[in-house]
């Protein structure tokens, strides 16, 4: 694959690009040779209320993991995203909101956004929200979600956005873990013409989990649907806004004060509240947004990610707004009302930069050229991909059919924990190889290590680690620093372990090969096998469950489940359906199992550990090459599973 077709930077693009090849090399070298100097320089793009005293104080030593950037500096994120743009851009559109139904867009200027954020910040204060409080957002992709995030940052509250596709159970777990006392939601969410009862879900979460800590639920009337209402607790967003003052002073926050937590899946246990702080995150979000996307003034930037994920935080909200850009928030889905929706949005709003996920690209590609048929698409200048490895077929389709061969594609590799992009081509500097995330961004030091932790040189394949910190790095897991250290810094000592595997070719290009731990990537969404298993075993008929990933044409990975039923429970098609529904109910539709196989027993070591390696092979009918099964407690179960699998297909 290293001799894959090389796509040079288009000449026209290179001429106007912010960073060309020489500049990339020079700046990258400078960022490694003298990080303090490099990052001090970059921090000038942020307005500081008090200058920082020290750029960087970081340690990956597992006895003392500590990550601090821009120490002693004071700033406010919302002031950086709003106030400082008012002089030049008060009438420029900050957010273009594209509703689920076509033809209902809203344009919000910086002046309007600033006023609404101030009002809502005042409203939050009025409701008793104080600096350091955790505010949970369970919201659709509507401007009020952006307003709520920015309002939190304005007063120093910590937002915790929970994807609105998660179930009441999943929401409850996150509210409890964050010890949040305020939830912001909407009456309903709308996606692809279907509504989700968000307010009712919040009520269910609070009742079922018997959560007593939440004393306020703020509700945006979005669809106007009838909703249950509890006077003592529920507040109407519009009423609060009408009463609130138009100005709220931005709180000077310490560079290392928390900005937000965001839950993500790991290989074990419950989702982790990844903690991001203020100064480093914002600097890194803004810098990457500008250089990775070659973002220029007055361009329209569309990141299709939901704010429930890190990509939505960094590249729908914070990066573009910190840079005074115009960002698009899309409430709907790419295939509603039909597969031409993305193309229509691109043409309607004259999108210059489109940043989306391989799963969306594959869904469009599955309809042949229909997705772009009749579309103009000439406003597009640059394309981006994120969330999972992009297969060369999808890459080529994206490049030729969407980008008409004019637009470079930046395949950006990063994680919730990294805050923003770590590896990517820079569009004016890096010749592209379809499927490769190419090179490290400024200041980023990737390395590949073998399973013993030895650093591999040259062309090699191994576990992907980072040797030193970058400003956007997560600082901790909320209220569980030990788990943070354990998860990321104990596997390969002295490094940050990403959980991903990667290959580096002769040209030094990186190719992400996927997770090497028990984390699945379904349509670009991270899911712990342990989470799905724990949902399954909470069903009354299930004794045990084991979950593995399987290749899936559209989703990248699908969910393959082995279930052992309790004694006396009969396997049946209706039970299979019931279990699928159960998992949807416990976690959300994105966790719905694709295949459920009955398993009277699971392959386990004598110490009781499930051998997922074997289960992964059986799921794809690779019955040979199961490896050594003699260490199993009961090797007989393997044959049984193979026979059952054969009978299913
Ligand atoms: C930003 C985001 C992180 C995991 C990551 C990796 C996979 C993300 C990728 C990619 C290959 C890319 N991933 N981008 N794999 N190429 N360009 O997606 O964060 O939801 O935390 O997922 O996604 O496996 O470890 P998050």
């Amino acid at each position: 694959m290293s001799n894959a077709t090389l796509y040079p930077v288009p000449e026209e693009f290179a001429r106007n690009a912010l960073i060309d090849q020489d500049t990339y090399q020079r700046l990258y070298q400078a960022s490694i040779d003298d990080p303090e100097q490099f990052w001090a320089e970059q921090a000038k793009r942020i307005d500081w209320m008090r200058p920082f005293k020290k750029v960087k104080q970081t340690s990956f030593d597992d006895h003392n993991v500590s990550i601090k950037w821009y120490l002693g500096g004071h700033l406010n994120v919302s002031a950086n995203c709003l106030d400082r743009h008012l002089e030049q851009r008060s009438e420029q559109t900050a957010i273009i909101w594209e509703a689920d139904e076509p033809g209902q867009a809203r344009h919000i200027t910086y002046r309007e956004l600033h006023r609404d954020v101030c009002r809502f910040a005042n409203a939050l204060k009025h409701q008793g929200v104080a600096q350091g409080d955790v505010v949970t957002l369970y919201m659709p992709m509507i401007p009020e979600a952006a307003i709520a995030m920015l309002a939190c940052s304005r007063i120093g509250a910590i937002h915790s956005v929970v994807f609105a596709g998660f179930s009441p159970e999943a929401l409850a777990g996150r509210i409890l873990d964050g010890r949040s006392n305020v939830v912001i939601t909407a009456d309903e969410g709308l996606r692809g013409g279907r509504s989700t009862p968000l307010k009712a879900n919040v009520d269910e979460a609070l009742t079922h989990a018997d959560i007593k800590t939440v004393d306020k639920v703020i509700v945006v009337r979005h669809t106007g649907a009838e909703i249950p209402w509890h006077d003592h607790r529920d507040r109407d967003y519009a009423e609060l806004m009408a009463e609130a003052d138009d100005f709220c002073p931005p709180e000077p926050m310490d560079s290392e004060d928390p900005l937000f937590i965001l839950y993500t899946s790991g290989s074990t246990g419950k989702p982790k509240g990844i903690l991001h702080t203020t100064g480093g995150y914002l600097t890194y979000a803004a810098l990457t947004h500008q250089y990775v996307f070659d973002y220029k003034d007055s361009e329209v930037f569309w990141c299709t990610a939901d704010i429930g994920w890190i990509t939505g935080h960094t590249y729908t909200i914070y990066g573009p707004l910190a840079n005074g850009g115009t960002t698009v928030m899309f409430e709907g889905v790419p295939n509603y009302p039909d597969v031409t929706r993305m193309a229509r949005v691109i043409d309607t709003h004259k999108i210059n930069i489109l940043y989306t996920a391989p799963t969306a690209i594959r869904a469009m590609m599955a309809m042949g050229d229909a997705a772009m048929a009749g579309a103009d698409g000439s406003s597009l200048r640059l394309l981006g991909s994120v969330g999972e490895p992009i297969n060369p077929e999808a890459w080529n389709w994206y490049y030729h059919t969407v980008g008409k061969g004019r637009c470079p594609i930046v395949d950006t590799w990063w994680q919730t924990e990294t805050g923003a992009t770590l590896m990517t081509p820079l569009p004016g500097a890096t010749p592209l190889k379809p499927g490769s995330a190419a090179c490290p961004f400024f200041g980023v030091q990737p390395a590949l290590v073998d399973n013993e932790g030895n650093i591999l040189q040259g062309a090699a394949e191994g576990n992907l680690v980072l040797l030193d910190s970058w400003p956007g790095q997560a600082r901790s897991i909320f209220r569980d620093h030990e788990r943070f250290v354990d998860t990321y810094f104990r596997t390969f000592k002295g490094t940050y372990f990403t959980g991903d595997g990667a290959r580096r070719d002769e040209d030094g290009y990186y190719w992400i090969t996927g997770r090497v731990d028990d984390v699945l990537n379904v349509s670009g969404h991270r899911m712990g096998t342990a989470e799905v298993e724990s949902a399954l075993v909470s069903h009354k008929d299930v004794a045990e469950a084991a979950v593995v990933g399987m290749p899936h044409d559209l989703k990248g990975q699908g969910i393959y489940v082995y279930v052992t039923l309790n004694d006396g429970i009969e396997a049946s098609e209706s039970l299979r359906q019931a279990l699928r529904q159960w998992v949807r109910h416990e976690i959300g539709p994105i966790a719905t199992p694709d295949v459920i196989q009955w398993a009277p027993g699971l392959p386990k070591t004598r110490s009781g550990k499930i051998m997922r390696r074997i289960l992964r092979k059986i799921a794809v009918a690779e019955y040979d090459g199961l490896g050594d099964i003699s260490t199993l407690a009961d090797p007989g179960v393997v044959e049984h599973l193979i026979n059952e699998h054969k009978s299913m297909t």
Side-chain angles (χ1 to χ4, degrees), residues 76-133:
N76 182 278
V77 167
S78 87
N80 271 282
C81 291
L82 301 168
D83 304 48
R84 66 173 174 152
H85 305 315
L86 289 182
E87 203 175 309
Q88 301 280 326
R89 314 177 185 275
S90 64
E91 298 312 311
Q92 182 196 308
T93 301
I95 295 178
I96 299 175
W97 178 67
E98 171 75 12
D100 189 47
E101 288 299 331
Q104 300 182 2
R106 269 174 67 190
H107 289 68
I108 300 163
T109 65
Y110 271 97
R111 183 177 49 75
E112 292 164 333
L113 188 60
H114 175 263
R115 181 203 56 206
D116 286 359
V117 168
C118 278
R119 281 197 184 159
F120 195 56
N122 283 326
L124 286 175
K125 282 201 224 171
H126 213 82
Q127 296 302 313
V129 177
Q131 196 171 313
D133 286 356

Side-chain angles (χ1 to χ4, degrees), residues 60 267 272 413 415 417-418 422 447-451 453 462-468 470 473 484-502 514-518 526:
F60 285 1
S267 49
K272 307 173 281 219
W413 171 84
Q415 313 178 296
E417 295 88 338
T418 71
L422 291 195
L448 299 176
V449 299
D450 65 18
N451 289 340
N463 303 292
L464 179 61
V465 301
L466 281 313
L467 300 178
D468 199 358
W470 60 97
Q473 182 172 23
F484 182 66
V485 175
D486 226 36
T487 310
Y488 304 106
F489 302 94
R490 290 233 158 91
T491 318
F492 302 112
K493 301 248 187 253
T495 74
Y496 165 83
F497 176 41
T498 63
D500 279 316
R515 302 290 303 196
V516 294
D517 53 11
D518 291 322
R526 267 167 79 165

Side-chain angles (χ1 to χ4, degrees), residues 311 387-389 411-416 500 512 515 521 526:
T311 310
E388 53 179 314
D411 179 356
T412 62
W413 171 84
W414 56 295
Q415 313 178 296
T416 306
D500 279 316
I512 307 298
R515 302 290 303 196
N521 191 328
R526 267 167 79 165

Side-chain angles (χ1 to χ4, degrees), residues 385-403:
S385 173
V386 62
E388 53 179 314
I390 179 165
N391 48 311
E393 298 72 33
W395 195 99
N396 276 301
W397 187 85
Y398 198 28
Y399 188 80
H400 293 289
T401 308
V402 180

Side-chain angles (χ1 to χ4, degrees), residues 149 308 357 447 482 550 638:
M149 290 166 76
E482 194 49 31
M550 62 179 224
V638 172

Side-chain angles (χ1 to χ4, degrees), residues 35 79 176 213 293 317 382 409 458 524:
L176 278 171
T213 49
F293 299 104
I317 309 293
L382 177 67
I409 298 179

Side-chain angles (χ1 to χ4, degrees), residues 540-563:
K540 63 178 181 10
D541 293 340
V542 175
E544 236 187 336
V547 171
V548 296
M550 62 179 224
H552 189 289
D553 282 349
L554 287 180
K555 303 193 215 174
Q557 259 186 328
I559 301 177
Y560 196 108
V561 175
Y562 295 86
V563 170

